[in-house]
């Protein structure tokens, strides 16, 4: 079924001035302005404004999507955004330079993996890859703990020690109960 | 001499609308439209110091365009009666004014144009004018409000009612 708006649009389009016409008329006018004319400044071109608007939209959507992927425990292995989450984590890992920053990062990473594991277990899905990621993060955390020597790093060192001890105790409990079975 | 950037911004804001405004009034003749639009902007440039954006965004340039077209018709066809809208801007039936010289030849080549013209003829003149200004020439409702001395809300409501009627006619 034809639309009246489409008909009106066709009429409007038929009367659209071409870029060449626009440019020619501008050159005539610009000569009067006392300049050499030249092309219409790019920032007034409609294609430029539309491109910038589209680019801003894409950047905003990307940021929003990335932020959601990164922080949500529901974004787990198998989800569409999971590679985005991992990629952002890899980038974050590379930009943590001090031992304290790396320690906080690994603590946070272990927390995130644990939250994802809980989500997968609720859905009765396997979480073996998460266990290996958690183990890797623990090993890195132990390495970083040995680098925390400065007095001002005391607090973070204690946090790391507490977290690692808790994890060791939990693993021991699990091993003990599985041996009894 | 007006500031080049300021005039360039003005030119880009109004070019498409004025082009269409002139294009439909001179029988869809592109070379002639180009000449006339060029002259209109040159006139606007000459008096650009009088332009006050806070008072009128489009009405100023539309007035220049209408006056220039009146002069064009007087110069090119002195023996023929002037089209109604040129002599009596506000009192002429706007429907006729807007589709002035929308020549039958042009209509025959563009079936959408002819169909739209027939549909708009079924509306009351004020509604047809608002639909044409917004959907064909590209003026915003606030600009139409300025041109027709109504509020932008009233222009929008009139346009929507007119489209509703046109949909029934299609």
């Amino acid at each position: 079924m034809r639309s009246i708006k489409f008909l009106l649009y066709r009429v409007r389009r038929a009367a659209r001035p071409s870029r060449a016409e626009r440019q020619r008329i501008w050159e005539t006018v610009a000569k009067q302005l006392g300049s050499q004319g030249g092309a219409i400044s790019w920032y007034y071109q409609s294609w430029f404004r539309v491109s910038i608007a589209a680019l801003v939209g894409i950047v905003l959507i990307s940021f929003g999507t990335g932020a959601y992927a990164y922080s949500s425990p529901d974004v787990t292995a198998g989800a569409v955004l999971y590679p985005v989450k991992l990629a952002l984590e890899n980038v974050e890992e590379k930009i943590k330079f001090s031992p304290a920053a790396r320690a906080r990062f690994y603590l946070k990473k272990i927390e995130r993996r644990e939250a994802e594991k809980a989500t997968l277990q609720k859905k009765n899905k396997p979480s073996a890859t998460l266990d290996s990621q958690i183990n890797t993060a623990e090993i890195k955390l132990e390495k970083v703990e040995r680098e925390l020597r400065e007095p001002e790093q005391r607090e973070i060192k204690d946090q790391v020690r507490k977290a690692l001890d808790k994890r060791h105790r939990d693993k021991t409990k699990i091993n003990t109960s599985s041996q009894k079975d | 001499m007006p500031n080049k950037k300021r005039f360039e911004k003005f030119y880009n804001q109004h070019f498409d609308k004025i082009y269409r405004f002139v294009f439909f009034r001179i029988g869809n003749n592109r070379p002639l439209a180009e000449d006339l639009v060029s002259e209109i902007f040159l006139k606007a440039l000459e008096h650009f110091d009088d332009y006050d954006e806070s008072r009128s965004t489009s009405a100023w340039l539309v007035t220049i365009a209408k006056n220039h077209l009146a002069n064009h018709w007087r110069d090119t066809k002195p023996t023929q009666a002037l089209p109604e809208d040129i002599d009596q801007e506000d009192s002429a039936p706007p429907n006729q004014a807007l589709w002035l010289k929308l020549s039958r030849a042009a209509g025959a080549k563009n079936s959408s144009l002819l169909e739209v013209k027939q549909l708009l003829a079924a509306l009351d003149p004020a509604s047809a004018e608002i639909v044409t200004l917004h959907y064909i020439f590209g003026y915003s409702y606030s600009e139409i409000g300025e041109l027709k001395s109504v509020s932008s809300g009233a222009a929008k409501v009139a346009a929507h009612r007119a489209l509703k009627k046109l949909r029934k006619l299609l």
Side-chain angles (χ1 to χ4, degrees), chain A residues 107-122:
Chain A
L107 282 171
K108 195 88 188 124
K109 186 171 179 177
I110 291 168
E111 240 176 80
R112 267 191 234 115
R113 294 291 103 83
E114 291 288 354
E116 286 168 28
K117 198 173 162 183
T119 305
L120 286 174
Q121 282 168 352
K122 269 188 211 167

Side-chain angles (χ1 to χ4, degrees), chain B residues 97-123:
Chain B
L98 284 165
W99 294 101
L100 184 69
K101 297 299 178 186
L102 244 182
S103 64
R104 281 108 188 128
K109 283 178 202 166
N110 187 334
S111 58
S112 296
L113 187 59
L114 196 56
E115 193 173 358
V116 164
K117 186 185 172 187
Q118 287 167 350
L119 285 168
L120 288 176
L123 293 175

